[in-house]
Amino acid sequence: ADLETGQSEVLVTLGLLPQEWILAGQRLAWTTMQWIDEDYRTTLEVLDLVSGERRTLRETNGTLIGLGGTANLLAWKEGSLQTWETGENEVHVFYLDGSGDIQQADGAEALVSMDSDVLVGDGVLMWMDYREGPYRLAAFDLASQAEDLLTPEDAILGVYQPPTLSGDRLVWADHRGEDWDL
């Protein structure tokens, strides 16, 4: 819907219920999941609202979750349903780079939580990570291609109270002490 005129239109007709969707600048992205040949098949599609071009970015027998985006950046988590059921971690953070290629953001030591979205800021991706035991917020700087843990070692974050990011400010709920603080 156009908020100025109040006019609404159908952007895309889907044959399946979208699992997640995000409007990021001139891009609309969504995921769908269906049962095919005794396995789930998850698809991530993107619609360019200016050109009208619709394309499939990823198709996997796993799952695509945690969509995050800004005007120029789209990110998501990808993992295997089978390994989640056994407790092993096979969740990774991916993004669509400026040339239209898909890149992986998390490094070999990362243990990416499947339970929250990817936070996307100006040139940075963030996710909840438990490589050191308790949850910490990991960040990937797109310019330097460096990954780092941002929150203090003694911070107590909850994955169901995810941080929020706006511009160059990051806020998280922290349970150090007897209560929750922001």
Side-chain angles (χ1 to χ4, degrees):
D2 183 314
L3 297 179
E4 289 181 20
T5 66
Q7 293 182 332
S8 64
E9 65 179 285
V10 174
L11 294 174
V12 62
T13 300
L14 305 176
L16 298 167
L17 175 69
Q19 302 293 306
E20 293 186 43
W21 60 92
I22 186 169
L23 183 59
Q26 68 181 34
R27 252 189 312 229
L28 175 64
W30 65 93
T31 61
T32 55
M33 183 184 288
Q34 61 183 323
W35 184 256
I36 298 175
D37 298 328
E38 304 295 319
D39 205 355
Y40 284 104
R41 190 78 179 151
T42 309
T43 304
L44 171 61
E45 292 184 81
V46 174
L47 176 69
D48 185 303
L49 298 176
V50 175
S51 70
E53 178 189 3
R54 177 179 173 177
R55 72 179 186 138
T56 298
L57 287 182
R58 292 285 293 149
E59 255 186 310
T60 177
N61 285 342
T63 189
L64 301 162
I65 55 174
L67 296 177
T70 62
N72 300 313
L73 191 56
L74 178 64
W76 63 92
K77 295 178 185 177
E78 185 171 330
S80 166
L81 292 171
Q82 290 75 23
T83 55
W84 288 346
E85 292 168 358
T86 63
E88 296 175 32
N89 186 300
E90 283 296 326
V91 181
H92 299 285
V93 177
F94 292 90
Y95 66 98
L96 188 64
D97 71 13
S99 63
D101 294 326
I102 295 172
Q103 305 291 335
Q104 185 171 333
D106 60 300
E109 286 96 35
L111 289 174
V112 178
S113 169
M114 69 177 195
D115 293 317
S116 61
D117 295 342
V118 178
L119 295 175
V120 179
D122 295 334
V124 66
L125 304 176
M126 297 180 193
W127 62 89
M128 297 294 280
D129 192 291
Y130 60 98
R131 72 184 78 183
E132 294 182 351
Y135 285 113
R136 294 196 52 203
L137 189 64
F140 179 75
D141 184 286
L142 294 165
S144 68
Q145 299 287 292
E147 179 184 352
D148 195 15
L149 294 173
L150 294 182
T151 49
E153 287 182 34
D154 62 340
I156 301 175
L157 281 72
V159 73
Y160 297 113
Q161 295 83 25
T164 187
L165 174 67
S166 179
D168 61 355
R169 296 208 187 253
L170 173 68
V171 176
W172 69 87
D174 195 321
H175 197 253
R176 286 180 272 184
E178 298 290 320
D179 55 5
W180 286 97
D181 298 312
L182 294 176

